[in-house]
């Protein structure tokens, strides 16, 4: 186990990461405790949970983790050492809340955790946010009509437009559109949105240490439209103009590429980033490679934000069966990205 003296080394430079507990009826409390008890996480950052102390204590008992979960008022009250988890305890979850069941109360609480974390980030008290999964239906039942974390954080931070990036050891994907239907996604895509998305992805990779990212841009239609055989000219109308502007500005951008080969090319190392036009086009390949390895990064916010790339998993919530490594990786990536800016 890491000793206190070891964790104190570099305490002034390790970024502070707010870790939200997510939906209390799902696996959020378990993955949060698992990640914040991980010595590898503590070596990279100073994690501060935002959630419910009693629920985290229950999750620790379920996982069989011997940790001291301490309620604090804020960052200045927290002591970061092995075996201790600091939590800003909002006290919103009753002790009898069932695991694995849809709950408006849990949905509202998940919103409140994000709100507090956003306020901490805007105030500069934390350098990054890592979020455990929330349930979109519960969020709506709790009175908060947002498609998910990405849109919610954009609203809370006053950010007009952000992008979702999924990162795994083998592949990185940024999305032009995310939580909307396919017909609506095609209608929404235009050269300006494609260009802004690519630029956000390029900037994120440069910040992460890739000085000249190689970016492949997916087409909308099969075979990139096959010169008009498929679709109605969407590639030429919506994607090609953006690529021409980006190339003229010196970005290493190629496309539109047939999506069924773009991910293969990226997997063998031809591209550092793939730009997906819609949700499933980008999510599918990442999850095939390993849902436990994927990390969700919101690009374009005034603060670093990462998350696991899985849901609330109501079917196994509260059983101790969940794997917490993905949450540990999400916190580590938040710390790594925030460290560049600290």
């Amino acid at each position: 186990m890491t000793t206190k003296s070891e964790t104190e080394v570099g305490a002034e430079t390790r970024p502070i990461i707010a870790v939200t507990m997510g939906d209390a009826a799902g696996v959020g409390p378990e993955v949060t405790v698992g990640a914040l008890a991980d010595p590898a996480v503590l070596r990279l950052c100073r994690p501060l949970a935002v959630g419910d102390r009693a629920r985290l204590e229950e999750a620790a008992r379920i996982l069989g983790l011997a940790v001291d979960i301490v309620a604090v008022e804020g960052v200045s009250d927290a002591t970061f050492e092995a075996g201790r988890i600091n939590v800003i305890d909002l006290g919103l979850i009753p002790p009898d809340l069932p695991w694995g069941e849809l709950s408006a109360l849990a949905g509202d609480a998940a919103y409140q955790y994000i709100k507090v974390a956003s306020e901490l980030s805007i105030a500069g008290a934390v350098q990054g946010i890592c979020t455990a999964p929330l349930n979109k239906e519960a969020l709506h039942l709790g009175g908060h009509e947002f498609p998910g974390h990405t849109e919610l954080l954009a609203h809370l931070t006053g950010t007009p437009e952000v992008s979702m990036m999924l990162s795994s050891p083998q592949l990185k994907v940024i999305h032009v559109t995310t939580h909307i239907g396919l017909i609506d996604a095609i209608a929404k895509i235009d050269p300006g949105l494609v260009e802004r998305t690519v630029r956000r992805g390029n900037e994120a990779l440069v910040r992460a240490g890739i000085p000249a990212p190689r970016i492949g841009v997916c087409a909308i239609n099969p075979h990139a439209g096959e010169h008009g055989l498929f679709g109605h000219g969407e590639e030429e109308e919506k994607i090609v103009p953006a690529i021409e502007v980006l190339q003229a500005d010196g970005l290493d951008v190629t496309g539109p590429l047939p999506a069924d080969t773009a991910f293969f090319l990226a997997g063998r190392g031809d591209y550092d980033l793939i730009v997906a036009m819609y949700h499933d086009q980008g999510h599918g390949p990442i999850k095939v490679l390993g849902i436990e390895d994927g990390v969700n990064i919101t690009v374009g916010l005034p603060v670093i934000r990462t998350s696991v790339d899985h849901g609330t998993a109501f079917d196994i919530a509260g059983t101790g069966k969940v794997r917490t490594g993905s949450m540990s990786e999400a916190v580590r990536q938040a710390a790594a990205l925030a460290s560049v800016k600290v």
Side-chain angles (χ1 to χ4, degrees):
M1 179 176 289
T2 306
T3 67
K4 182 176 179 178
S5 61
E6 288 173 331
T7 61
E8 287 174 342
V9 176
E12 294 302 318
T13 59
R14 287 178 297 155
I16 301 170
I17 305 298
V19 182
T20 60
M21 193 179 79
D23 191 302
V27 296
E30 293 167 89
V31 298
T32 298
V33 167
L36 270 57
D38 184 346
V41 168
L42 191 57
R43 284 194 292 269
L44 291 176
C45 68
R46 292 172 283 172
L48 175 63
V50 182
D52 187 282
R53 177 186 178 185
R55 196 65 164 184
L56 291 174
E57 288 179 332
E58 185 176 355
R61 287 194 295 271
I62 290 168
L63 292 174
L65 294 174
V67 290
D68 187 16
I69 300 176
V70 182
V72 297
E73 291 295 322
V75 173
S76 61
D77 302 316
T79 300
F80 301 96
E81 58 186 20
R84 172 181 169 129
I85 294 176
N86 301 283
V87 57
I88 296 178
D89 179 14
L90 301 193
L92 300 174
I93 305 302
D96 60 349
L97 181 78
W99 293 93
E101 294 183 14
L102 197 65
S103 165
L105 187 150
D108 175 62
Y111 170 87
Q112 302 302 334
Y113 305 151
I114 294 294
K115 184 172 183 290
V116 169
S118 297
E119 291 168 351
L120 289 170
S121 74
I122 292 169
V126 301
Q127 287 74 55
I129 298 172
C130 182
T131 59
L134 55 72
N135 183 284
K136 296 176 180 62
E137 188 176 355
L139 182 70
H140 292 178
L141 288 174
H144 308 289
E145 297 289 331
F146 295 94
H149 269 123
T150 303
E151 297 82 4
L152 173 54
L153 281 160
H155 168 75
L156 290 172
T157 59
T159 308
E161 189 175 271
V162 296
S163 297
M164 176 188 292
M165 179 185 289
L166 302 182
S167 175
S168 75
Q170 305 100 322
L171 181 66
K172 288 180 173 58
V173 182
I174 193 168
H175 294 70
V176 175
T177 66
T178 51
H179 295 123
I180 55 177
L182 183 54
I183 293 175
D184 295 330
I186 294 171
K188 183 176 181 179
I189 296 166
D190 64 28
L193 180 57
V194 173
E195 180 187 343
R196 294 191 300 273
T197 302
V198 174
R199 290 189 188 278
R200 279 191 287 269
N202 185 77
E203 290 167 3
L205 265 62
V206 169
R207 190 170 62 241
I210 302 174
R214 299 162 300 160
I215 301 172
V217 180
C218 286
I220 296 171
N221 294 299
H223 301 281
E226 198 77 65
H227 302 291
L229 292 179
F230 306 116
H232 302 278
E234 287 86 357
E235 281 71 29
E236 288 73 17
E237 175 189 348
K238 296 171 176 287
I239 301 175
V240 170
I243 291 175
E244 290 174 346
V245 171
L246 293 162
Q247 290 174 338
D249 283 351
L251 276 69
D252 188 349
V253 182
T254 304
L257 301 168
D260 58 356
T261 57
F263 292 99
F264 163 74
L265 295 173
R268 76 178 187 186
D270 290 16
Y271 298 107
D272 301 303
L273 178 68
I274 291 293
V275 181
M277 290 296 127
Y278 52 89
H279 183 281
D280 287 8
Q281 189 181 60
H283 276 63
I286 285 282
K287 292 190 175 182
V288 166
L289 289 171
I291 194 168
E292 288 293 327
D293 294 328
V295 173
N296 184 335
I297 303 170
T298 305
V299 181
L301 292 171
V303 65
I304 300 299
R305 179 261 171 169
T306 66
S307 179
V308 291
D309 187 31
H310 63 70
T312 46
F314 279 171
D315 57 326
I316 60 170
T319 67
K321 295 179 181 179
V322 68
R323 297 179 181 179
T324 63
S326 181
M327 190 67 175
S328 289
E329 180 60 25
V331 182
R332 287 196 295 266
Q333 288 210 28
L337 290 168
S339 294
V340 178
K341 303 179 73 174
V342 171

